[in-house]
Amino acid sequence: MTKLSDLTEREILALAIASEEEDGHIYADFGQMLAEDYPDSAAIFQDMAEEENHHRRALIDLFVRRFGNHIPLVRRQDVQGFPSRKSAWQMQNRGIEAIRAQAADMERQAARFYRQAAGQTNDAEIRKLLGDLATEEDRHQREARRLEDAHLNDNTRDREDEHSRRDFVLRVVQPGLVGLMDGSVSTLAPVFAAAFATHSPHAAFLVGLAASLGAGISMGLAEALADDGKLSGRGAPLLRGLICGAMTFGGGIGHTLPFLVPDFHLAFGVAIIAVAIELLLISWVRWRYQDTPFGSAMVQVFLGGALVFATGVLIGSS
């Protein structure tokens, strides 16, 4: 891969043009992607895209004056150490704050790269050009903050943040919580039934592992096939299915792993502690993201867990 120090001034200017063009395209894509749900932030990215296009045109005018009409293709991915960019589709399910942070990183990375590169070259003309580019990227950051202040007041930002929070709850928290509750509670009965029936930690572990894997696959498929997310706004079904399945498996395997301990009584005690931690976690998630009072969440979750646990113990002891 080519190093920056190997590029001529003509190639460095061509790289700057290609980079500004790509950044402008990404900002325009962000604006288009956010237009429906976050119109005020979309307006910021549209303005930033226009700024990048203005800089690109200025760089092209400079290139034509100095080197002629043909601009060689020099891309950032062809130059060692040049920061890469995530496209809009890669940020689609990341939330508004992640997109804002990505935009800020784009400007900071470019400025830092140009400034570091300027210190690595002994060519006065290249050093000056890179320094000018770093200064220009710094100005971009200040301009982005100015545009944000112009478009987003406190009420608008709060409204967009609340919308982003609801999206996160629908797309991540809800499928994760459903999986965690199913894995933590429904697998209690078979695990502890096997433990009390056999008094064998190994047998209880095998049953718990099978129950956790089976429940994870079942819940993941059920979540993925239940809703395509287009009307409900719950996001990509595959992602929801993976989250739900993984959390279901995690909830079940948490109180299954203690039965790897050979001593039955010690394994049983550790498993009880693991169950309590899982139920506390479920209660906290319900309190944090679903506005359920923590005390009420604990009573509901622990009552359900106790009933399932008692069922397993009674069946295993019979």
Side-chain angles (χ1 to χ4, degrees):
M1 184 174 287
T2 303
K3 296 181 180 179
L4 182 71
S5 58
D6 297 330
L7 299 181
T8 64
E9 187 176 6
R10 175 173 177 266
E11 292 168 336
I12 291 173
L13 193 55
L15 173 62
I17 292 169
S19 299
E20 295 289 348
E21 185 175 41
E22 182 180 354
D23 288 353
H25 201 160
I26 291 174
Y27 289 143
D29 287 345
F30 282 161
Q32 181 70 24
M33 185 174 68
L34 298 172
E36 182 176 351
D37 294 329
Y38 305 97
D40 296 286
S41 288
I44 293 174
F45 286 114
Q46 293 292 355
D47 288 346
M48 291 175 68
E50 185 56 37
E51 280 289 312
E52 297 296 317
N53 285 333
H54 174 74
H55 300 150
R56 177 183 58 83
R57 289 192 293 269
L59 286 166
I60 290 175
D61 289 342
L62 175 61
F63 186 96
V64 170
R65 289 197 302 270
R66 294 196 57 183
F67 302 112
N69 291 323
H70 177 70
I71 302 175
L73 179 61
V74 184
R75 302 169 299 182
R76 68 176 90 226
Q77 61 263 38
D78 298 328
V79 179
Q80 183 176 337
F82 206 96
S84 60
R85 299 284 190 258
K86 289 185 178 180
S87 59
W89 68 267
Q90 291 175 299
M91 301 292 294
Q92 197 164 15
N93 295 313
R94 297 287 300 277
I96 184 65
E97 284 302 327
I99 293 174
R100 290 172 184 159
Q102 161 78 1
D105 283 343
M106 287 169 62
E107 304 298 338
R108 281 195 298 268
Q109 287 174 358
R112 188 184 307 117
F113 179 83
Y114 285 136
R115 192 165 285 112
Q116 290 175 349
Q120 294 173 2
T121 179
N122 295 320
D123 188 293
E125 285 188 296
I126 295 178
R127 184 186 290 260
K128 180 179 182 302
L129 178 59
L130 291 173
D132 290 344
L133 289 171
T135 301
E136 188 70 5
E137 293 297 338
D138 287 334
R139 193 181 72 79
H140 289 186
Q141 294 183 57
R142 294 192 295 272
E143 182 67 13
R145 286 193 292 270
R146 184 191 68 77
L147 290 171
E148 186 168 326
D149 292 338
H151 284 283
L152 292 182
N153 55 38
D154 291 339
N155 290 334
T156 300
R157 180 178 287 275
D158 289 344
R159 186 173 66 250
E160 291 193 348
D161 289 345
E162 178 59 25
H163 192 286
S164 179
R165 178 183 179 277
R166 287 199 303 270
D167 276 353
F168 178 71
V169 170
L170 281 173
R171 299 178 181 187
V172 178
V173 175
Q174 282 191 357
L177 181 60
V178 168
L180 182 61
M181 291 178 65
D182 185 86
S184 298
V185 177
S186 69
T187 58
L188 288 177
V191 171
F192 286 98
F196 273 82
T198 64
H199 282 77
S200 167
H202 181 66
F205 172 77
L206 292 179
V207 171
L209 179 61
S212 300
L213 286 170
I217 294 170
S218 175
M219 290 295 292
L221 288 173
E223 178 65 33
L225 297 176
D227 178 11
D228 63 7
K230 293 179 180 179
L231 294 178
S232 64
R234 298 182 64 215
L238 177 59
L239 178 61
R240 292 198 329 271
L242 289 173
I243 292 171
C244 185
M247 293 303 292
T248 303
F249 174 76
I253 204 67
H255 52 257
T256 297
L257 289 176
F259 287 101
L260 287 171
V261 177
D263 184 270
F264 175 78
H265 295 290
L266 178 59
F268 179 79
V270 176
I272 291 296
I273 295 173
V275 170
I277 293 173
E278 291 164 5
L279 298 181
L280 281 172
L281 178 59
I282 293 170
S283 301
W284 179 85
V285 172
R286 294 190 64 199
W287 167 75
R288 175 67 176 81
Y289 292 103
Q290 295 188 331
D291 298 325
T292 304
F294 189 72
S296 299
M298 282 188 60
V299 170
Q300 295 165 3
V301 172
F302 274 81
L303 178 60
L307 290 173
V308 177
F309 173 78
T311 300
V313 172
L314 288 173
I315 293 175
S317 301
S318 61

